Amino acid sequence: MGLLKDKVLINGEWVSAATKATFNVKNPRNGSIVGAAPHMDASDAAVAIEAANEAFKTWQNVTADQRSALLRKCVADCAEEAKRIKGEIVSSPHPGKKCLIERQPIGVVGLITPWNFPLLLTARKIATALAAGCTCVVKPSEDTPLSTLSVIQLAEDAGVPKGVINVVTCDRANAAQIGKALCESRLIAGISFTGSTVVGKILYQQCASRIKRLCLELGGNAPFLVFNSANIDKAVETARVCGIVEEAKSRGANIVTGGQPAKEAGKLFYQPTLITNVTKDMQVYKDEIFGPVVSVTKFKTEEEGVAMAVDTEKGLASYFFSQDVAQIFRVSRLLQSGTVAVNDGMGGSPLAPFGGIKESGIGKEGSQYGIDECCYIKSITIGDL
Ligand code: ADP
């Protein structure tokens, strides 16, 4: 089957919205239309949730080896972890008793994804759920639904059974009602969301109605510290963020280079920009910047650098460059973020968890810790032994 879809998969069938409504998906480079996807609503979501709930009854009993083999065929991520969902047996204070501690899949999970990294984030969320033995309903971003649908076609081709992965697409206008349907459904056991802090807070509130498991990977605003001992060439090569330049200019920032839209490349392009004299009150200092903008603030001592880096409500990732081993250990511990990259701009490994602290979210994605988000831990006491 082709990978460019205009329907979504629900209960093993590629279907349209019940109303037949669609929305256009645009190429952000020039605004041209690349395809269309179903513009669904909460009633379509309810059908998808039912299908996932029905499929869970059998999928939860599929062996870890079978789940692993399927994941290896389509998204690979988590394929090995599926086989390593372990339990423990602990002793009891009472004679003739043992206590088993077992991880079980929580049930149907709702996966809501953003426009950035549409393949990676979708594949990882789906793989984590399936590895744990959960089924899912995926709600991709309105900007990038086609990438999600192509991943799901690959999963179907690999033989993932019907109802295990279901998708609901919609334009932005219906995102809130579908989000609410997922958060408030009695059949959904947990939500995994990547996106803005504003929407994350809405979902957190909605999930409270059923004390629902929630994993939030929200916005970040990563500090990038370059200490005296750093390899400066490497640090410069590794840095790239995005931002709001005019406001910084009006508050006295100095635009060293760039600072204008790159009109020759297209309407949505911006020149690579370097800003100095950046102060704490500027948006470019405080906000997550999606664009080729680097803002530079000087610091003199390690204490001052770290204090500036942690003076934010966000805590997704931090970066620093140093060749001083003691400083590497010290600063890694002091930075307040879920991940820290030292002398590296990428960080991470499929075996390491990813996720923020503070207003950057709760819970972890990827690795055995991500799978734990899709499991609950049950204690089973056995007597008469
Ligand atoms: P981004 O701009 O990075 O995509 P958003 O938080 O705006 O971040 O969107 C992330 C995802 O959340 C998208 O799939 C979007 O459609 C969805 N979304 C937006 N508003 C809501 C809402 N109120 N409830 C649930 N999902 C929402």
Side-chain angles (χ1 to χ4, degrees):
M1 293 283 268
L3 292 181
L4 186 59
K5 317 299 298 183
D6 59 1
K7 294 193 168 64
V8 300
L9 188 69
I10 295 181
N11 204 23
E13 305 283 336
W14 289 92
V15 297
S16 307
T19 61
K20 304 285 178 232
T22 61
F23 67 100
N24 288 331
V25 183
K26 293 188 185 137
N27 175 347
R29 188 177 197 288
N30 55 20
S32 64
I33 293 169
V34 291
H39 181 41
M40 304 181 111
D41 58 25
S43 62
D44 296 296
V47 176
I49 294 169
E50 283 286 351
N53 183 54
E54 203 49 41
F56 179 67
K57 292 175 188 164
T58 43
W59 180 250
Q60 64 179 322
N61 297 320
V62 169
T63 65
D65 268 30
Q66 284 172 296
R67 297 202 303 273
S68 169
L70 272 178
L71 290 173
R72 187 170 287 288
K73 273 203 213 163
C74 50
V75 291
D77 209 280
C78 290
E80 289 305 305
E81 295 298 342
K83 293 188 267 186
R84 302 200 176 103
I85 301 173
K86 295 181 186 146
E88 283 175 76
I89 301 176
V90 295
S91 64
S92 162
H94 307 291
K97 283 191 185 181
K98 284 268 178 214
C99 195
L100 275 58
I101 302 169
E102 198 177 70
R103 284 180 168 75
Q104 294 195 348
I106 57 175
V108 182
V109 290
L111 310 175
I112 305 175
T113 54
W115 59 268
N116 51 339
F117 299 107
L119 284 175
L120 169 88
L121 293 178
T122 308
R124 187 167 64 187
K125 279 191 198 298
I126 292 174
T128 306
L130 268 54
C134 294
T135 58
C136 62
V137 177
V138 189
K139 151 65 186 90
S141 165
E142 54 279 1
D143 294 321
T144 53
L146 303 179
S147 309
T148 298
L149 295 173
S150 64
V151 171
I152 284 153
Q153 177 65 64
L154 293 174
E156 193 192 31
D157 291 345
V160 173
K162 76 169 189 175
V164 170
I165 306 174
N166 307 275
V167 197
V168 184
T169 53
C170 66
D171 204 350
R172 188 77 177 192
N174 286 2
Q177 60 165 292
I178 289 181
K180 194 164 187 288
L182 292 171
C183 289
E184 295 183 356
S185 166
R186 140 189 101 70
L187 301 179
I188 294 266
I191 298 284
S192 174
F193 170 78
T194 301
S196 63
T197 301
V198 172
V199 174
K201 286 181 181 178
I202 295 172
L203 300 179
Y204 205 169
Q205 279 181 343
Q206 289 174 350
C207 282
S209 66
R210 291 189 185 273
I211 320 287
K212 196 157 285 186
R213 186 76 70 90
L214 184 63
C215 182
L216 297 174
E217 204 269 87
L218 309 176
N221 184 21
F224 189 103
L225 304 172
V226 182
F227 289 102
N228 279 337
S229 66
N231 174 338
I232 299 288
D233 286 345
K234 189 163 179 223
V236 169
E237 200 182 282
T238 317
R240 279 294 168 269
V241 278
C242 45
I244 302 156
V245 175
E246 289 305 316
E247 191 250 14
K249 262 203 270 186
S250 72
R251 289 173 185 262
N254 177 30
I255 311 299
V256 178
T257 184
Q260 297 293 331
K263 287 193 187 122
E264 60 292 351
K267 268 206 298 202
L268 298 177
F269 286 74
Y270 203 82
Q271 293 174 345
T273 299
L274 179 67
I275 313 178
T276 57
N277 284 354
V278 174
T279 52
K280 274 172 69 167
D281 55 329
M282 296 175 187
Q283 246 176 304
V284 76
Y285 181 93
K286 291 184 286 197
D287 289 353
E288 183 171 19
I289 309 164
F290 281 99
V293 177
V294 175
S295 72
V296 178
T297 313
K298 283 189 188 167
F299 62 89
K300 286 207 173 74
T301 62
E302 177 185 304
E303 204 180 10
E304 190 191 359
V306 170
M308 284 161 73
V310 301
D311 181 23
T312 164
E313 276 119 37
K314 305 287 166 55
L316 189 58
S318 309
Y319 302 83
F320 70 95
F321 279 73
S322 168
Q323 296 293 323
D324 175 338
V325 175
Q327 184 175 54
I328 288 175
F329 276 89
R330 214 170 37 238
V331 174
S332 304
R333 223 177 33 244
L334 290 171
L335 289 171
Q336 296 171 359
S337 58
T339 46
V340 174
V342 186
N343 298 328
D344 185 56
M346 295 295 288
S349 147
L351 300 180
F354 183 77
I357 58 170
K358 301 200 268 187
E359 291 194 20
S360 288
I362 49 173
K364 292 291 177 193
E365 295 242 29
S367 80
Q368 57 175 313
Y369 301 95
I371 290 185
D372 269 349
E373 304 286 337
C374 288
C375 295
Y376 67 90
I377 294 178
K378 183 181 275 181
S379 298
I380 305 168
T381 305
I382 304 180
D384 277 347
L385 294 175

